[in-house]
């Protein structure tokens, strides 16, 4: 009887605990509480970037279960100031097509907060499944070799894009980005890794070169010491 009571307590206790943990998530769904990197200089973050990871934050058990996967595509992002110093153009290009976003910096004292301006265009927009993005972009981290942007449209979209100047980013850096999100209780419900095939090809090439050199050295050694 006592055991049954304990089991019941556990069963009722856990969902209560879980919902308490979920409170910050709903704040994020409304785009609240997303911290910005301070002191960014827009001019320093313009130019070409590569998409390293796309981290989904929406909690929808039917769509996302925390899965991690790699896709062979390697999107590039070209960020430019469009005319004035408060209008930004983000051009996203990958194998399957391209897309252009326009953003406005509402407040010059907060250059890491961008508001979408108008609709997106490009070939990827013509795909029937495309949902126009209407919302905000938060520059959450911007340092010389990488940047983290969080796209949020209240109750509709919430995901982050990890960008790097090269097609690869140190695993240590990626881990620290993910850890930071965990600390802030921003859930990561799916991890899509891009631009990975070129890195693995480079690794494979390096290994083959090493193997070839070793074989060659061994042959030379055997010949010399005959
Ligand atoms: C989007 O539209 C603008 C204005 O018509 C055009 O200059 C630009 O090239 C278009 N971008 C894409 C990716 O099609």
């Amino acid at each position: 009887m006592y055991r049954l009571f304990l089991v019941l307590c556990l069963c009722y206790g856990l969902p209560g605990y879980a919902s308490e943990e979920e409170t910050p998530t709903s704040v994020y769904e409304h785009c609240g509480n997303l911290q910005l990197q301070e002191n960014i200089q827009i001019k320093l973050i313009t130019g070409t970037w590569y998409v390293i990871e796309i981290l989904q934050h929406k909690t929808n058990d039917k769509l996302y279960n925390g899965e991690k996967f790699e896709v062979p595509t390697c999107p590039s992002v070209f960020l430019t100031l469009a005319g004035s110093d408060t209008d930004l153009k983000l051009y996203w290009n990958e194998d399957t097509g391209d897309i252009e976003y326009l953003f406005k910096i509402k407040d010059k004292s907060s250059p890491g907060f961008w508001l979408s301006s108008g609709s997106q265009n490009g070939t990827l927009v013509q795909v029937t499944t495309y949902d126009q993005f209407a919302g905000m972009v938060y520059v959450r981290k911007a340092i010389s070799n990488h940047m983290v942007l969080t796209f949020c449209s209240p109750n509709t979209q919430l995901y982050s894009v990890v960008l790097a100047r090269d097609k690869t980013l140190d695993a240590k850096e990626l881990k620290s980005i993910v850890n930071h999100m965990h600390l802030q209780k921003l859930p990561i419900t799916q991890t899509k890794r891009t631009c990975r095939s070129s890195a693995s090809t480079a690794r494979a090439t390096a290994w083959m070169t090493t193997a070839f050199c070793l074989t060659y050295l061994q042959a030379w050694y055997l010949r010399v010491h005959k």
Side-chain angles (χ1 to χ4, degrees):
M1 187 62 208
Y2 172 73
R3 247 181 229 169
L4 180 69
F5 177 72
L6 196 72
V7 167
L8 280 176
C9 276
L10 278 175
C11 289
Y12 284 100
L14 285 175
Y17 178 71
S19 66
E20 220 170 68
E21 284 277 292
E22 266 159 33
T23 317
T25 310
S26 61
V27 174
Y28 291 128
E29 295 281 346
H30 295 96
C31 310
N33 222 13
L34 290 163
Q35 282 155 13
L36 297 173
Q37 154 123 16
E38 283 168 36
N39 308 318
I40 12 166
Q41 277 183 277
I42 292 295
K43 286 223 168 70
L44 293 182
I45 60 168
T46 54
T48 305
W49 294 92
Y50 294 98
V51 177
I52 303 294
E53 271 186 1
I54 302 170
L55 305 165
Q56 182 59 241
H57 305 303
K58 281 213 70 89
T59 46
N60 180 339
D61 301 342
K62 288 199 191 83
L63 291 174
Y64 314 115
N65 292 297
E67 62 276 15
K68 293 179 187 177
F69 58 92
E70 286 185 17
V71 287
T73 171
C74 187
S76 66
V77 161
F78 188 61
L79 190 68
T80 43
L81 279 166
S84 76
D85 57 355
T86 52
D87 288 295
L88 281 168
K89 190 166 90 179
L90 191 156
Y91 177 70
W92 178 295
N93 188 13
E94 59 178 77
D95 303 340
T96 48
D98 60 4
I99 180 164
E100 189 178 297
Y101 299 79
L102 295 175
F103 297 106
K104 242 183 195 339
I105 296 170
K106 273 283 173 200
D107 177 2
K108 273 193 181 178
S109 65
S110 181
F113 178 68
W114 312 340
L115 213 61
S116 65
S117 133
S119 50
Q120 291 92 54
N121 64 335
T123 56
L124 285 176
V125 174
Q126 286 143 29
V127 180
T128 47
T129 50
Y130 184 77
D131 289 319
Q132 281 286 338
F133 176 79
M136 291 75 88
V137 170
Y138 298 78
V139 183
R140 313 238 301 139
K141 184 176 185 187
I143 60 170
S144 65
N145 73 335
H146 69 275
M147 171 160 86
V148 181
L149 301 180
T150 299
F151 286 67
C152 186
S153 174
N155 294 319
T156 314
Q157 294 187 53
L158 182 59
Y159 60 91
S160 295
V161 180
V162 179
L163 300 152
R165 289 294 189 187
D166 295 319
K167 289 185 179 172
T168 55
L169 186 62
D170 209 35
K172 219 168 51 206
E173 307 277 20
L174 278 169
K175 201 163 187 213
S176 115
I177 293 167
V178 166
N179 281 348
H180 195 242
M181 287 174 177
H182 284 159
L183 276 178
Q184 296 186 320
K185 295 208 162 63
L186 179 62
I188 299 172
T189 52
Q190 186 191 70
T191 304
K192 194 159 137 182
R193 295 178 167 153
T194 47
C195 293
R196 293 302 164 101
S197 51
S198 58
S200 50
T201 313
R203 250 196 320 269
T205 314
W207 272 112
M208 267 160 70
T209 313
T210 313
F212 176 79
C213 289
L214 282 176
T215 316
Y216 187 81
L217 269 175
Q218 193 186 30
W220 173 80
Y221 183 86
L222 286 175
R223 211 169 49 221
V224 170
H225 294 264
K226 224 172 12 194

